[in-house]
Amino acid sequence: MSRIALRHLPDPDCLEFSWPDDCVCVVHGHGGALAGKLSERLVEKGWQVVLLTGVPAAATDGVPMLFVNPADASSLDKALQTIGREHGRVAAYIEIGAPPETPAADLLSQSSKAALKSAFLGAKSLMPLLTDPALPRAWHVTVNRFDGSLGLAGSDSSTGRTGGGIFGLSKTLGREWPSVSCRSLDLHPDFTLEEAVDIVVDELFDPDSSVAEIGRRPEGRFTIAATEQSHA
């Protein structure tokens, strides 16, 4: 009989990659400082980045910012069209979830609902952009700070439901978009902001795109795997 458990992974390798001049990485933040700091780090590495935000956010050095109305389903489409006209082809989309709330028992929090809705609507809008065969490489990455255990810790029903939806989406997109590196990251909240940025950059440059779900905890890097359960 098998059960689902966390499996330890080695640290990711580093892909040697030069960012194309006519391509753009879109970082979509839903609150907190991680989206802005990640955008600045990617610009330092030579990436062209546009930051999308649906909440008030501090200005970022060298990073254009566009506002996306989370209540308007067409807002993301309009923003992506603007990016295509003014900045270049979208080759990477990184969605940073809102900082976690403490919802009532067995109910999805508002930020959790927004994360799920944005992830699914974003995938629909991005499909024709990221699957463009002319792109040398493409990414679709979601980043959340649940507990680093990919919903298996059992500490919060809302986290498990939200994470399960987002992690399942990445696995589905990975099958339907084989040319796109699709990954969901779950970072433990104990990581500092700089540590979280380092982790996301490391995962972006990982040449192994076969693993769709990655949990990062202070004790290591994990994914979900089925293991055989022995009988007494």
Side-chain angles (χ1 to χ4, degrees):
M1 183 176 180
S2 63
R3 66 183 182 91
I4 301 299
L6 292 177
R7 175 169 61 87
H8 187 269
L9 293 173
D11 291 339
D13 292 327
C14 183
L15 173 72
E16 295 294 333
F17 181 79
S18 296
W19 188 259
D21 293 337
D22 64 339
C23 288
V24 180
C25 171
V26 176
V27 177
H28 189 175
H30 295 275
L34 181 55
K37 288 296 183 183
L38 174 63
S39 298
E40 291 176 350
R41 178 74 64 81
L42 292 175
V43 168
E44 291 173 1
K45 288 185 169 293
W47 289 36
Q48 183 181 186
V49 180
V50 175
L51 178 61
L52 300 183
T53 180
V55 297
T60 51
D61 293 337
V63 182
M65 185 185 301
L66 294 175
F67 180 79
V68 176
N69 183 354
D72 182 358
S74 66
S75 186
L76 178 59
D77 281 331
K78 294 174 183 176
L80 293 173
Q81 292 169 12
T82 299
I83 291 170
R85 289 194 306 268
E86 299 180 3
H87 300 282
R89 298 180 296 164
V90 176
Y93 180 81
I94 306 169
E95 183 149 23
I96 312 293
E101 299 173 353
T102 305
D106 279 338
L107 295 176
L108 283 175
S109 67
Q110 291 302 312
S111 65
S112 297
K113 290 178 181 178
L116 280 172
K117 182 177 179 180
S118 181
F120 279 88
L121 290 178
K124 181 179 179 181
S125 301
L126 289 158
M127 189 274 289
L129 305 178
L130 296 181
T131 58
D132 181 354
L135 290 175
R137 186 175 175 89
W139 290 260
H140 182 282
V141 179
T142 62
V143 183
N144 286 279
R145 304 194 72 168
F146 296 135
D147 57 11
S149 298
L150 298 167
L152 295 184
S155 58
D156 186 287
S157 60
S158 172
T159 293
R161 293 177 186 179
T162 305
I166 293 174
F167 306 146
L169 174 64
S170 287
K171 291 181 71 172
T172 299
L173 295 182
R175 291 192 294 266
E176 295 182 356
W177 304 351
S179 62
V180 181
S181 179
C182 298
R183 181 163 292 180
S184 283
L185 305 180
D186 178 10
L187 311 186
H188 195 279
D190 283 352
F191 287 121
T192 67
L193 179 59
E194 289 299 323
E195 288 171 336
V197 171
D198 289 340
I199 289 170
V200 176
V201 171
D202 286 347
E203 296 293 344
L204 282 173
F205 282 83
D206 180 16
D208 182 6
S209 60
S210 64
V211 183
E213 304 152 305
I214 299 288
R216 296 292 292 262
R217 302 176 59 85
E219 59 267 32
R221 181 173 183 249
F222 302 88
T223 191
I224 294 174
T227 60
E228 292 298 324
Q229 190 172 14
S230 60
H231 297 279

